[in-house]
Amino acid sequence: MAAPLRIQSDWAQALRKDEGEAWLSCHPPGKPSLYGSLTCQGIGLDGIPEVTASEGFIVNEINKKSIHISCPKESASSKFLAPYTTFSRIHTKSITCLDISSGGGLGVSSSSDGSMKIWQASNGELRRVLEGHVFDVNCCRFFPSGLVVLSGGMDAQLKIWSAEDASCVVTFKGHKGGILDTAIVDRGRNVVSGSRDGTARLWDCGRSACLGVIADCGSSINGVAVGAADNSINLGSPEQTPSEREVGTEAKMLLLAREDKKLQCLGLQSRQPANAFNCCTFLSGFLLLAGTQDGNIYQLDVRSPRVPVQVIHRSGAPVLSLLSFRDGFIASQGDGSCFIIQQDLDYVIELTEADCDPVYKVATWEKQIYTCCRDGLVRRYQLSDL
């Protein structure tokens, strides 16, 4: 992985005026960092600034919302993308989770102020406030229909909400600690939750019942993911006949990100462990991504997980979110960085403006990318701006 480039978070605003400046830097591993600056030499008739870089850096391309910078000495290249829109009125405090509906029309987000809200994805206009959890709401996501929301909170409750009228239609109880993450199985007749109590549970939405404890780790489960297994993966057979209420669990893998620095993979239906490896999300039926507290992103093959396919390290900040995207992925970290790596690009796309505030979660819809941040802002980026 080439040396990461960094740029001033508000570079797009800073370079909109004559002689405006923005700093940039390159951080090659094991070498001294290189520092430079960008200077606006004027604004063209098309509204695009004419920008020059200090010695050691090159401006390859620029438009109103993106700039492509290279550092030839370190063979580093990144395209930085400024947000198309920023929504500042949804929440007043740190936003810890968000999701976008399958149709792209609605967003849902939760905040450290205990609130959970549904809003118009195009303009951030508030549509519904979902009230019913006690204490913080840790996670929220839309069902595939886009009309229903699943949430988990520090009150150890899992809730299902109508996005149309904000009513809570189902409450699941059974966990003894706060729910930290959820996953939806196929179309949503079953869901999975991970909790501070160390268990992952499978739930039947139609009957508001727990179908079983999938895993009991003895350690807080911070993240869960469900994905289809490649045909080459042996997930084992269930010890007991699965309930007829289990729908879509066959040939599915469940990944558990644990507080004790372990990540666990098991068959969702069989409850049998697959190979041990670190992971946070799926890239395919056998490729996984794992993000660590010290900033490493591991790409792993389930068929031979002991040796990573590759390890990506751009900073020592915790990796907070990983999302499969096109033929690559989007990652966000605790230092405010959020970037896209794709196989067909020889540069990294950086989503800017979060400065040093952690970017907790990323969601996408078609060519639009939404991020939520500790500074209380939802940012919407458009890849058409590149």
Side-chain angles (χ1 to χ4, degrees):
M1 192 70 192
L5 292 170
R6 298 282 183 263
I7 196 170
Q8 185 172 315
S9 63
D10 61 347
W11 65 269
Q13 291 96 326
L15 297 176
R16 281 199 189 116
K17 51 191 177 184
D18 287 348
E19 299 183 358
E21 288 190 348
W23 60 261
L24 71 160
S25 57
C26 180
H27 303 271
K31 299 180 183 179
S33 297
L34 306 174
Y35 297 93
S37 62
L38 301 169
T39 304
C40 176
Q41 306 294 343
I43 307 296
L45 295 176
D46 55 4
I48 298 174
E50 298 176 7
V51 176
T52 57
S54 58
E55 185 178 355
F57 297 91
I58 295 174
V59 178
N60 300 302
E61 183 185 7
I62 185 171
N63 63 33
K64 291 181 180 179
K65 291 292 184 180
S66 71
I67 187 168
H68 187 182
I69 306 291
S70 295
C71 178
K73 181 180 178 181
E74 298 298 336
S75 301
S77 181
S78 289
K79 182 172 281 192
F80 298 94
L81 181 63
Y84 177 80
T85 313
T86 298
F87 305 139
S88 59
R89 297 182 179 180
I90 301 173
H91 296 283
T92 58
K93 292 188 177 181
S94 174
I95 303 171
T96 54
C97 192
L98 92 166
D99 193 25
I100 302 298
S101 65
S102 56
L106 295 176
V108 62
S109 54
S110 59
S111 170
S112 60
D113 62 10
S115 67
M116 179 168 51
K117 300 179 180 181
I118 294 175
W119 35 274
Q120 199 72 32
S122 60
N123 56 20
E125 181 181 343
L126 185 63
R127 297 293 298 273
R128 299 285 184 269
V129 178
L130 307 181
E131 296 179 317
H133 278 289
V134 182
F135 310 122
D136 288 353
V137 181
N138 293 323
C139 48
C140 54
R141 66 172 69 241
F142 282 100
F143 278 77
S145 67
L147 302 175
V148 184
V149 171
L150 176 67
S151 66
M154 287 303 293
D155 56 6
Q157 296 184 38
L158 193 67
K159 290 179 177 287
I160 296 178
W161 310 78
S162 166
E164 297 178 308
D165 62 11
S167 62
C168 178
V169 294
V170 174
T171 296
F172 300 106
K173 296 182 180 180
H175 280 295
K176 297 178 181 178
I179 295 170
L180 300 180
D181 199 12
T182 63
I184 295 173
V185 183
D186 283 353
R187 298 178 64 182
R189 289 178 63 179
N190 294 162
V191 297
V192 178
S193 58
S195 168
R196 284 184 182 273
D197 65 14
T199 67
R201 293 173 179 256
L202 181 68
W203 303 88
D204 175 6
C205 295
R207 292 185 177 173
S208 309
C210 180
L211 293 173
V213 176
I214 305 296
D216 191 344
C217 305
S219 175
S220 177
I221 298 174
N222 297 327
V224 300
V226 171
D230 185 80
N231 291 333
S232 61
I233 308 300
N234 181 11
L235 296 178
S237 300
E239 295 179 354
Q240 299 177 348
T241 303
S243 166
E244 62 180 15
R245 303 295 298 178
E246 283 195 30
V247 181
T249 59
E250 186 178 4
K252 295 291 195 308
M253 293 183 289
L254 174 65
L255 307 178
L256 306 176
R258 295 164 42 172
E259 183 70 21
D260 59 3
K261 302 181 181 179
K262 296 178 182 178
L263 283 98
Q264 182 179 352
C265 178
L266 61 158
L268 181 56
Q269 185 183 81
S270 69
R271 285 34 164 193
Q272 302 297 315
N275 296 326
F277 56 88
N278 292 336
C279 55
C280 284
T281 193
F282 292 95
L283 287 179
S284 70
F286 55 88
L287 286 177
L288 313 167
L289 282 181
T292 68
Q293 188 69 15
D294 56 4
N296 288 321
I297 298 173
Y298 293 89
Q299 183 177 335
L300 301 154
D301 189 321
V302 179
R303 298 166 296 186
S304 53
R306 295 188 179 276
V307 179
V309 177
Q310 66 171 328
V311 181
I312 298 167
H313 185 90
R314 294 176 58 79
S315 81
V319 180
L320 300 179
S321 176
L322 286 169
L323 181 66
S324 177
F325 183 70
R326 297 183 178 176
D327 61 351
F329 65 90
I330 307 174
S332 69
Q333 295 187 254
D335 59 1
S337 63
C338 187
F339 56 90
I340 307 171
I341 293 179
Q342 292 188 258
Q343 293 180 8
D344 60 344
L345 297 180
D346 59 0
Y347 55 84
V348 177
I349 298 173
E350 303 269 1
L351 307 183
T352 61
E353 216 179 73
D355 203 1
C356 296
D357 284 304
V359 178
Y360 292 118
K361 201 76 171 179
V362 179
T364 63
W365 182 73
E366 294 188 347
K367 292 186 177 181
Q368 300 183 69
I369 300 172
Y370 295 79
T371 65
C372 66
C373 182
R374 188 176 66 184
D375 61 12
L377 298 178
V378 171
R379 294 179 171 87
R380 176 163 67 103
Y381 301 83
Q382 291 198 167
L383 292 186
S384 56
D385 287 332
L386 289 170

